[in-house]
Amino acid sequence: MDFFDRIGIDMTKNQRLKIRWIVDLLMTVGLFFVSGYQFWTEESHEWVGVGMFFLFLVHHFLNLAWYKNLWKGKYSFARILKLLIDFALLAMMLVQMYSGILLSRYIFDFLPLDGGLFLARKLHILGAYWGFLLMSLHIGLHWDMMIQVVKRKFPCQKESNVRSMICFLLSAGIAVYGGIVFVKRDFPIYLFLKSEFVFLDYGEPIFSFYGDYLALMGACIVIVHYLLKIIRNAKKA
């Protein structure tokens, strides 16, 4: 019994899957929006951040069965990896919401909160950069499922070695460029709080910024996807 059964909604498997995909897609779009803080107003940044947290809660409610199965089955390396990424992402989202409330100048400005701003800024930087990477890795954990869905929607008569090689080379290219973006965008500095202030280039073209972040997300997806693939193939050998 999943979330929809518990609340008495009769839906087909495909309908339930579509709702989950819509929620996840909106979260991903929201992630890119809040990452580009310099391109939008501070108020819209706060509203989208709150919306993301709400969608994050919905995402977890829709996947309550995942929590029920935590104590079942064996814990392989792949399962432990998934668990670590998922719980780290949950922690970062909670950090973001807490620090966001303290730093809020619009939505939560009515709350009588004083002090803690210095720590909140640090936490918000950590949550933003770790959160982006962890959510990207989380998507990578489920990338194979997305591929299978696409294959069912657009079936190919026969797998082509040439097509597989092209996909692999494209994936490798994305991973390499994503690694360059990781360094160029100073992620190591902010991930470990080597700087307490984030440099924002307000004159940068929006497509350049989001192109880089899309490549970095793609790199995370590629790394996790192929790592899990290697693990599965090693088990079969």
Side-chain angles (χ1 to χ4, degrees), residues 208-219:
S208 172
F209 177 87
Y210 282 119
D212 277 0
Y213 267 65
L214 189 61
L216 180 54
M217 175 176 279

Side-chain angles (χ1 to χ4, degrees), residues 34-68:
V34 295
S35 297
Y37 175 87
Q38 65 271 33
F39 299 112
W40 317 105
T41 65
E42 190 172 343
E43 185 174 4
S44 63
H45 179 86
E46 289 189 20
W47 279 110
V48 174
V50 171
M52 275 192 67
F53 189 75
F54 172 75
L55 289 170
F56 190 77
L57 294 178
V58 172
H59 173 87
H60 279 268
F61 275 116
L62 294 178
N63 293 278
L64 286 175
W66 181 80
Y67 288 97
K68 288 182 61 178

Side-chain angles (χ1 to χ4, degrees), residues 3 5 12 15 29 42 44 47 54 61 70 91 98 126 129 144 147 155-156 162 167 171-172 182 184-185 219:
F3 174 77
D5 294 322
T12 66
Q15 288 173 328
V29 172
E42 190 172 343
S44 63
W47 279 110
F54 172 75
F61 275 116
L70 281 177
Y98 168 74
L126 284 176
Y129 284 86
D144 191 59
I147 292 174
C156 297
V162 174
C167 288
S171 299
F182 180 79
K184 183 178 75 173
R185 296 283 175 181

Side-chain angles (χ1 to χ4, degrees), residues 172-228:
I174 291 171
V176 169
Y177 184 68
I180 294 171
V181 170
F182 180 79
V183 176
K184 183 178 75 173
R185 296 283 175 181
D186 295 325
F187 265 73
I189 293 174
Y190 302 126
L191 288 173
F192 299 101
L193 277 184
K194 297 295 183 181
S195 172
E196 296 174 1
F197 299 95
V198 178
F199 171 74
L200 300 174
D201 184 359
Y202 288 87
E204 178 182 12
I206 190 171
F207 293 108
S208 172
F209 177 87
Y210 282 119
D212 277 0
Y213 267 65
L214 189 61
L216 180 54
M217 175 176 279
C220 293
I221 292 171
V222 167
I223 290 169
V224 174
H225 173 68
Y226 279 99
L227 177 60
L228 293 178

